[in-house]
Structure formats: structure tokens, C-alpha cells
């Protein structure tokens, strides 16, 4: 039984070694326009509100496979501003923290990826918290081996609200050799 297991496991280990897996932590900053739509059945004078969002992402657990695929587990801190005033009313902004999983593929210098996360937010000037789910698609361009420009489209759902975020950002990957990072 052990011989059979070793015979099956050895080719798999050799194939995995050929993939050139490396540790690639990174830090990203994004700024986006957020359109917040009310999904409740309550009659509101304004169907959606516009805000600005600033996000900081840390991909502390990130793996680069064969310099093409990158799989990451990370955390994100975000600040959503109060919405623009319309009809003498506005929506309060919030501070958020989330954990997410991300996949990204690199084709030459072009990047494409997606992420899914779960987080918690606190409304500004109130002691109201909420849980949210978020998903995003991103495209980008690798400017250098460790700097990338990214465009991102994200959807965030929280109780009775759906937010659509469209924005730009930069990502900095740890250069090769500092702590094992490579890109």
C-alpha cells in the first residue's frame, strides 16, 4: 500500500515543483466612485446615492504559480465618504474591514482577476454596524515587475443596499529576493 501511494505521489510532487511556486505579498490602494442603490421596499425620494471610496488591500498570503497565476488571501480596509447632498438629504459613509480570496492571471503585461470577500462596517457618527459581501473583477497592466496599474469593478451587498464601485488603483508587489517575493 505504501509503495502504491508513493508511486502516485512522487509524479505529483515533481509536477508541482516544476510550476515554480513563490511567495508574493503585495499592497494595493484603490480610489473609486460608489453608487449606492436602496433595495428596500420603502418609498425613498432618491433611488441611489453617489460617494467616494478609498481602499487599502494587503495580500499577506499570496502565491505566484509559474509567473502566470496568483492566488491570494488578504485583508482590506475601506473608507466610504458621506454621499453627495441631494434633495436636502445625504447618506452617511462608513469605515469597513474585510477578508477576501483573490485569483489573478497574467498574460504578458496584462492582468485580469477576481475576488470575493466578507466584511464588517461601521456607519460614521452612529454606532450602527453591518456585515457585507463583496465581489470584484479587475483588469490591469504591469508597469514594472513590482508595480501594476489596476481598474476595478466591485459589487458590495449589505442589508437593503447594493453598492457598485468603479475605480483605479496601484498595486506594489514585494521585489524578488526581499522575502521570497517574485513577479
Amino acid at each position: 500500500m505504501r509503495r502504491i501511494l508513493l508511486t502516485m505521489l512522487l509524479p505529483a510532487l515533481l509536477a508541482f515543483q516544476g510550476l515554480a511556486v513563490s511567495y508574493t505579498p503585495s499592497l494595493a490602494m484603490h480610489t473609486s466612485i460608489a453608487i449606492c442603490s436602496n433595495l428596500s421596499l420603502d418609498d425613498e425620494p432618491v433611488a441611489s446615492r453617489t460617494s467616494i471610496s478609498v481602499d487599502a488591500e494587503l495580500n499577506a498570503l499570496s502565491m505566484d504559480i509559474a509567473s502566470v497565476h496568483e492566488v491570494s488571501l488578504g485583508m482590506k480596509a475601506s473608507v466610504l465618504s458621506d454621499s453627495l447632498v441631494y434633495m436636502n438629504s445625504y447618506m452617511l459613509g462608513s469605515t469597513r474591514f474585510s477578508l477576501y480570496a483573490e485569483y489573478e492571471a497574467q498574460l504578458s503585461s496584462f492582468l485580469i482577476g477576481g475576488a470575493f470577500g466578507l466584511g464588517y462596517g461601521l456607519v460614521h457618527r452612529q454606532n450602527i454596524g453591518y456585515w457585507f459581501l463583496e465581489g470584484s473583477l479587475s483588469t490591469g497592466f504591469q508597469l514594472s515587475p513590482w508595480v501594476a496599474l489596476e481598474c476595478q469593478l466591485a459589487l458590495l451587498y449589505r442589508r437593503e443596499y447594493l453598492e457598485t464601485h468603479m475605480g483605479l488603483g496601484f498595486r506594489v508587489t514585494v521585489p524578488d529576493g526581499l522575502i521570497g517575493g517574485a513577479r
Side-chain angles (χ1 to χ4, degrees), residues 122-145:
L122 289 172
V123 177
H124 294 165
R125 298 187 297 274
Q126 294 182 353
N127 288 329
I128 299 173
Y130 57 88
W131 289 95
F132 62 88
L133 292 173
E134 64 181 331
S136 66
L137 294 174
S138 62
T139 60
F141 187 76
Q142 196 77 30
L143 300 175
S144 74

Side-chain angles (χ1 to χ4, degrees), residues 40-109:
S40 71
L41 298 176
D42 295 338
D43 196 19
E44 282 216 15
V46 181
S48 62
R49 303 287 184 154
T50 305
S51 299
I52 303 293
S53 176
V54 177
D55 308 327
E57 299 177 4
L58 175 63
N59 285 335
L61 299 174
S62 184
M63 224 174 26
D64 184 47
I65 303 168
S67 295
V68 176
H69 308 282
E70 187 172 306
V71 179
S72 304
L73 293 175
M75 54 188 127
K76 178 164 64 169
S78 306
V79 176
L80 180 71
S81 71
D82 295 345
S83 70
L84 299 173
V85 176
Y86 181 71
M87 296 182 67
N88 294 324
S89 65
Y90 63 95
M91 187 176 80
L92 294 174
S94 58
T95 303
R96 301 172 176 159
F97 179 76
S98 63
L99 299 173
Y100 64 90
E102 180 178 37
Y103 169 78
E104 183 177 81
Q106 181 175 356
L107 309 167
S108 185
S109 292

Side-chain angles (χ1 to χ4, degrees), residues 1-14:
M1 181 67 177
R2 286 183 187 171
R3 279 189 197 169
I4 294 171
L5 184 61
L6 286 175
T7 305
M8 291 176 13
L9 190 59
L10 187 59
L13 289 175
L14 290 174

Side-chain angles (χ1 to χ4, degrees), residues 163-181:
E163 295 179 17
T164 305
H165 294 252
M166 297 167 281
L168 290 172
F170 281 97
R171 184 183 68 212
V172 178
T173 304
V174 174
D176 191 17
L178 285 183
I179 54 175

Side-chain angles (χ1 to χ4, degrees), residues 19-35:
L19 290 177
V21 175
S22 62
Y23 175 59
T24 55
S26 63
L27 178 67
M29 296 291 293
H30 293 99
T31 300
S32 59
I33 300 284
I35 300 169

